[in-house]
């Protein structure tokens, strides 16, 4: 069982939205992103509830015990962790949802505020901006173990924010037309 959620006005971190990458050069190629939200946000409350729902559907009466163990496994077993457990800019005091999408499923849908498709040359979305994200939460129970995972479906750029890295949104401010020789 899985549940689709819309996470509104969350901060984007580590966006691999247009090009699939491998983790540490190993494993399958995936698209992915992390979404940061405040502890008191409705998005955090919705994610907590959906994780319980997915765990109950998968593991029945054992769900509370298994979910507790999955959460204790950190980001290797649970897609939703306290940002305080990470030493990255913007994570402290927030919660972080990591969502992935397999390369063979194609890249997630990436759009602007008016639902127009975005491309890498648009310079957005970027790490630090605010987005609305569509994700699917599901419980894993296979040869790789038990876990709670998130599949990335779509990302909508909402507004600019302070970039997390030295590279912010593309901007031609300060440049002027130049005559060629």
């Amino acid at each position: 069982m899985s549940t689709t959620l819309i996470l509104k006005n969350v901060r984007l971190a580590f966006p691999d939205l247009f090009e699939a990458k491998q983790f540490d050069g190993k494993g399958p190629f995936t698209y992915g992103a992390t979404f940061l939200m405040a502890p008191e946000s409705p998005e955090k409350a919705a994610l907590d509830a959906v994780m319980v729902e997915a765990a109950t559907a998968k593991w029945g009466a054992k769900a509370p015990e298994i979910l507790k163990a999955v959460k204790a496994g950190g980001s290797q077993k649970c897609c939703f962790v306290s940002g305080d457990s990470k030493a990255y800019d913007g994570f402290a005091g927030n919660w972080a949802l990591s969502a992935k999408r397999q390369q063979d499923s194609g890249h997630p849908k990436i759009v602007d505020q008016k639902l127009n498709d975005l491309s890498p040359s648009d310079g957005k979305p970027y790490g630090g901006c605010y987005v609305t994200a569509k994700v699917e939460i599901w419980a894993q129970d296979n040869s790789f173990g038990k876990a709670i995972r998130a599949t990335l479906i779509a990302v909508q750029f909402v507004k600019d924010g302070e970039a997390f890295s030295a590279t912010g949104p593309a901007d031609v401010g300060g440049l002027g037309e130049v005559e060629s020789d």
Side-chain angles (χ1 to χ4, degrees):
M1 189 220 136
S2 63
T3 301
T4 301
L5 282 176
I6 304 294
L7 306 171
K8 295 183 178 184
N9 206 33
V10 294
R11 199 146 182 222
L12 179 64
F14 300 110
D16 291 323
L17 302 173
F18 296 105
E19 183 181 337
K21 303 215 170 137
Q22 286 180 302
F23 180 73
D24 284 341
K26 300 175 189 164
F29 282 84
T30 60
Y31 300 95
T34 299
F35 304 102
L36 303 175
M37 61 205 74
E40 67 279 356
S41 71
E43 286 73 17
K44 164 122 175 16
L47 272 163
D48 286 337
V50 167
M51 286 181 7
V52 169
E53 186 180 311
T56 302
K58 182 63 110 179
W59 300 303
K62 292 184 178 186
E65 171 188 331
I66 294 172
L67 189 55
K68 183 178 178 182
V70 163
K71 287 179 178 180
S75 59
Q76 296 300 313
K77 293 292 178 182
C78 188
C79 60
F80 192 47
V81 298
S82 169
D84 293 335
S85 68
K86 305 285 184 180
Y88 302 123
D89 190 25
F91 277 59
N94 289 305
W95 280 81
L97 173 72
S98 177
K100 301 285 184 193
R101 182 178 185 84
Q102 296 298 317
Q103 182 180 33
D104 59 3
S105 296
H107 74 76
K109 188 75 171 164
I110 313 298
V111 297
D112 66 11
Q113 300 96 322
K114 297 184 186 275
L115 301 179
N116 297 309
D117 288 337
L118 291 172
S119 71
S121 64
D122 292 311
K124 56 187 175 187
Y126 57 90
C129 75
Y130 291 84
V131 300
T132 294
K134 185 176 182 181
V135 297
E136 183 179 35
I137 306 298
W138 53 280
Q140 169 189 305
D141 191 348
N142 59 25
S143 62
F144 297 105
K146 293 175 175 57
I148 297 290
R149 305 287 185 207
T151 299
L152 180 58
I153 300 170
V155 176
Q156 179 183 29
F157 175 82
V158 173
K159 66 182 179 181
D160 287 318
E162 186 177 336
F164 284 136
S165 67
T167 305
D171 181 4
V172 296
L175 301 178
E177 290 187 28
V178 178
E179 291 186 33
S180 63
D181 292 338

